[in-house]
Amino acid sequence: MPASQPRSRARDRNNVLNRAEFLSLNQPLKGTQESRSQGRKQSGQAGAASAQNSSPKERRQSQQLPEEDCMQLNPSFKGIAFNSLLAIDICMSKRLGVCANRASSWGGARSMINLLGITGHGIPWIAGTLICLVKSSTLAGQEVLMNLLLALLLDIVIVAGLQKLAKRKGPYDVSPGVLDYLTMDTYAFPAGHASRAAMLSKFFLNHLVLAIPLRILLVIWALCVGFSRVMIGRHHITDVLSGFVFGYLQFRLVELIWMSSNTCQMLISIW
């Protein structure tokens, strides 16, 4: 032990860092540490003060922005699938719009396709139903015609309301006709002609006794009326398909609220 102490003292003397001019290097810089800690405290206090002074709306925006950026950078699978199907629908609808204008590939057949579309319009069907109702003399016929008139009016109201909500435009810039404005059929989704054709065909198949060839022709007519609207560029394919679905749902609704013969006679007497 006595021998080791002189050795450690000699080692301390020979150490350069133990000299007086180098002692400051071994000691921590108190001033810099204090200044750093003060700077951190000031920055923390400033951040807290700015957070308190900021409005709740700014805080919500600062919290939402990273989430929005993540959603844009990482879109969901459902969003990608929906956008892909929408792009396919628009592309195919534009390709099938062969009668959209006179310069189209089937531009010469545009008047014939328009005539086919008129057979599915609401105004001619309502007018024809009223004429038949006036000339009808049987209670069963008047009951069927009154419920048919109810179905046509419901179709116009429901389709007009859905179109106003969706406000989807067609694949081509085709202005609606006069009859379309009368029935408020000015937008693309859902296709009013398709819903009406589907509802009428289902109504006649259910309540009229028809031969098999006539039943087949009735279904073909409904399909032709629906897809004629794609050919003239007024509707997309999905608009027509959704129109068929809504037409069937309207038929089911009329079946649920079917007016009896007594109710129909009361309404006819009031009219």
Side-chain angles (χ1 to χ4, degrees):
M1 287 293 293
S4 62
Q5 288 179 358
R7 288 179 187 173
S8 62
R9 289 173 186 168
R11 207 179 297 122
D12 292 338
R13 266 189 252 107
N14 294 331
N15 193 355
V16 178
L17 294 177
N18 288 332
R19 295 182 184 178
E21 59 269 22
F22 296 112
L23 284 175
S24 61
L25 294 176
N26 294 330
Q27 297 176 356
L29 298 176
K30 295 181 180 179
T32 56
Q33 284 184 350
E34 291 176 357
S35 62
R36 285 177 187 172
S37 63
Q38 288 177 358
R40 288 173 188 168
K41 289 180 182 178
Q42 289 176 358
S43 62
Q45 291 174 357
S50 62
Q52 290 176 357
N53 294 331
S54 62
S55 62
K57 186 177 179 181
E58 292 177 355
R59 289 180 205 162
R60 268 187 255 114
Q61 288 179 352
S62 63
Q63 292 174 357
Q64 290 175 0
L65 281 176
E67 295 178 3
E68 292 175 358
D69 294 340
C70 292
M71 289 297 293
Q72 291 174 359
L73 293 174
N74 302 311
S76 63
F77 175 75
K78 290 182 180 179
I80 294 172
F82 177 76
N83 291 331
S84 301
L85 291 175
L86 194 63
I88 293 170
D89 176 38
I90 294 172
C91 179
M92 292 186 66
S93 302
K94 284 183 175 292
R95 290 197 176 192
L96 291 175
V98 292
C99 303
N101 48 56
R102 294 291 179 183
S104 301
S105 57
W106 287 22
R110 181 176 171 80
S111 57
M112 187 185 301
I113 300 299
N114 278 327
L115 184 61
L116 179 61
I118 290 174
T119 62
H121 207 283
I123 298 297
W125 277 102
I126 291 175
T129 304
L130 289 173
I131 293 171
C132 293
L133 187 60
V134 170
K135 293 186 175 182
S136 178
S137 58
T138 61
L139 295 178
Q142 290 175 355
E143 180 183 349
V144 171
L145 289 170
M146 281 296 294
N147 284 281
L148 177 59
L149 182 62
L150 173 65
L152 290 168
L153 294 175
L154 276 176
D155 174 75
I156 290 175
V157 172
I158 291 172
V159 169
L162 290 172
Q163 286 187 358
K164 291 295 182 183
L165 288 174
K167 291 186 177 181
R168 188 187 188 189
K169 295 184 178 180
Y172 289 92
D173 190 13
V174 179
S175 59
V178 178
L179 294 177
D180 295 329
Y181 281 112
L182 289 176
T183 56
M184 297 175 288
D185 188 6
T186 54
Y187 290 100
F189 179 87
H193 288 67
S195 69
R196 199 169 301 113
M199 184 268 296
L200 287 171
S201 61
K202 184 63 178 170
F203 188 92
F204 290 148
L205 289 173
N206 237 46
H207 296 286
L208 296 181
V209 179
L210 300 173
I212 292 178
L214 289 177
R215 298 171 79 90
I216 295 172
L217 285 175
L218 192 59
V219 174
I220 292 173
W221 166 79
L223 294 173
C224 290
V225 168
F227 285 102
S228 69
R229 309 302 289 171
V230 179
M231 295 177 68
I232 65 170
R234 278 278 283 120
H235 296 280
H236 301 87
I237 297 173
T238 52
D239 301 333
V240 172
L241 295 177
S242 61
F244 288 148
V245 173
F246 282 115
Y248 176 77
L249 294 176
Q250 288 165 12
F251 165 76
R252 299 302 303 173
L253 177 61
V254 172
E255 291 291 307
L256 288 174
I257 60 174
W258 184 268
M259 294 185 294
S260 64
S261 179
N262 294 332
T263 307
C264 294
Q265 291 303 312
M266 184 184 65
L267 292 174
I268 290 171
S269 62
I270 293 172
W271 181 45

